[in-house]
């Protein structure tokens, strides 16, 4: 597991720090570890793919609730659900 600081994760995922904090609060994209003393968030490099999916779904203007539900689905089921969305 390669940990990435929130700043590096933001740059690599194209998500803002503010968005990452919000997504953590809402349970959409939760960091792999939070330092209890400083509150600093760390992400696993493997979470970058999921973060990039969040970027794409938000560009489609999906609400966070829908994004969270789709991320929890099996990828084939998520793709099927996305194909049913009329944009």
């Amino acid at each position: 597991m390669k940990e990435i600081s929130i700043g590096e994760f933001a740059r690599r995922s194209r998500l803002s720090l503010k968005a990452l904090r919000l997504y953590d609060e809402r349970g959409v994209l939760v960091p792999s570890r939070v330092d209890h003393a400083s509150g600093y968030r760390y992400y696993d490099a493997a979470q970058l793919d999921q973060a990039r999916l969040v970027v794409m779904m938000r560009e489609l203007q999906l609400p966070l609730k829908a994004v969270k539900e789709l991320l929890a689905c099996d990828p084939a089921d998520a793709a099927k659900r996305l194909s049913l969305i009329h944009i």
Side-chain angles (χ1 to χ4, degrees):
M1 173 174 96
K2 183 176 187 305
E3 274 189 342
I4 303 171
S5 70
I6 190 172
E8 179 65 19
F9 193 81
R11 282 187 291 281
R12 292 172 64 179
S13 66
R14 298 186 348 241
L15 288 166
S16 69
L17 295 173
K18 182 178 177 181
L20 285 169
R21 290 182 187 110
L22 174 67
Y23 297 163
D24 178 19
E25 290 171 14
R26 302 276 174 92
V28 174
L29 187 61
V30 179
S32 62
R33 181 174 72 88
V34 177
D35 183 284
H36 295 291
S38 66
Y40 208 73
R41 295 165 174 88
Y42 294 91
Y43 293 83
D44 187 304
Q47 289 178 281
L48 282 168
D49 288 337
Q50 193 174 39
R52 290 177 183 132
L53 282 172
V54 170
V55 170
M56 286 187 277
M57 288 188 276
R58 293 299 286 158
E59 286 175 352
L60 294 172
Q61 299 182 354
L62 292 178
L64 285 181
K65 182 179 177 186
V67 170
K68 183 178 178 179
E69 290 171 2
L70 287 167
L71 289 175
C73 290
D74 172 82
D77 186 38
K80 184 178 178 180
R81 289 182 186 198
L82 277 171
S83 71
L84 299 173
I85 296 173
H86 299 285
I87 299 171

